[in-house]
Amino acid sequence: MSTGRTAGSGDGRARDLAETRPAAAVHRDAGVRDGSPAPGGGAHGNGVVRHSAASGGAAVGGGAETGVREALRLYFDGLYYGDIALLDKVFHPQAIYATATEGSLLRLTMAEYFPIVAAREAPATRGDERHDRILSVESAGPVTALARVECALGPKRFTDLLTFVQVDGRWRIIAKVFHYDLVEN
């Protein structure tokens, strides 16, 4: 897998994601350097943390940033280890899971999604390398944030858009919308 990601420009051309935002709008987290592991990435993570205000959102800071980062660590670890208890901590019970990667809309509730995770072989069991990466975290207000992340399950490389809400003092995912690409080994 190449390290550069592309985004469609609407006219069939692809652009590097780093070029889709003005340089002034990308704020790097002082505590995490480019190429360092994402939360939960361990020795195999290669996460780059960027905070973007490009679309009118503000960089998440302070306690909100800490809360979203902790939730992302649980998310990455839950997927990698196939740990439903961890995923249950990070997903709001009313969260939705959605994708149209295969041509039609797939929308699941957590009651439908968690058994799928429980039934599949966990990447950790296979000894798969982790590809956890936080691309951006944006705030839409004091209790709402959006994280764009990447991870892998077998030959699938996912780009996840995770919408967070803070409820009862906890940051939880209320919507997971994603796309994946197949990568040949």
Side-chain angles (χ1 to χ4, degrees), residues 103-123:
S104 61
L105 179 65
L106 172 63
R107 182 188 182 279
L108 302 175
T109 64
M110 294 302 99
E112 297 164 320
Y113 173 55
F114 286 173
I116 293 169
V117 174
R120 70 182 176 215
E121 185 178 22

Side-chain angles (χ1 to χ4, degrees), residues 1-14:
M1 177 177 134
S2 72
T3 57
R5 299 283 303 168
T6 58
S9 62
D11 62 357
R13 292 178 293 162

Side-chain angles (χ1 to χ4, degrees), residues 13-184:
R13 292 178 293 162
R15 299 172 305 201
D16 184 80
L17 284 177
E19 296 172 3
T20 63
R21 294 188 199 115
V26 177
H27 305 282
R28 287 199 174 90
D29 178 357
V32 178
R33 293 188 181 100
D34 287 358
S36 65
H44 300 294
N46 61 354
V48 177
V49 178
R50 291 189 181 120
H51 302 287
S52 172
S55 61
V60 176
E65 179 180 357
T66 301
V68 170
R69 286 170 151 274
E70 175 62 18
L72 287 170
R73 184 189 62 77
L74 293 174
Y75 174 73
F76 286 135
D77 285 351
L79 290 176
Y80 186 72
Y81 294 105
D83 189 331
I84 301 305
L86 288 179
L87 293 175
D88 190 51
K89 289 179 182 180
V90 73
F91 278 98
H92 189 278
Q94 296 176 28
I96 64 160
Y97 163 108
T99 186
T101 298
E102 295 181 6
S104 61
L105 179 65
L106 172 63
R107 182 188 182 279
L108 302 175
T109 64
M110 294 302 99
E112 297 164 320
Y113 173 55
F114 286 173
I116 293 169
V117 174
R120 70 182 176 215
E121 185 178 22
T125 303
R126 294 188 303 263
D128 290 356
E129 182 177 345
R130 292 182 77 157
H131 296 276
D132 306 337
R133 239 168 64 125
I134 299 169
L135 300 176
S136 65
V137 176
E138 295 181 31
S139 172
V143 295
T144 310
L146 175 69
R148 182 181 181 121
V149 303
E150 292 179 340
C151 60
L153 294 172
K156 294 180 180 178
R157 299 298 187 261
F158 291 86
T159 299
D160 298 343
L161 304 175
L162 305 172
T163 303
F164 285 86
V165 292
Q166 186 181 39
V167 179
D168 298 325
R170 291 175 51 200
W171 286 96
R172 300 184 84 181
I173 298 169
I174 192 66
K176 170 182 175 162
V177 180
F178 66 93
H179 173 80
Y180 70 83
D181 293 305
L182 292 177
V183 176
E184 295 181 26

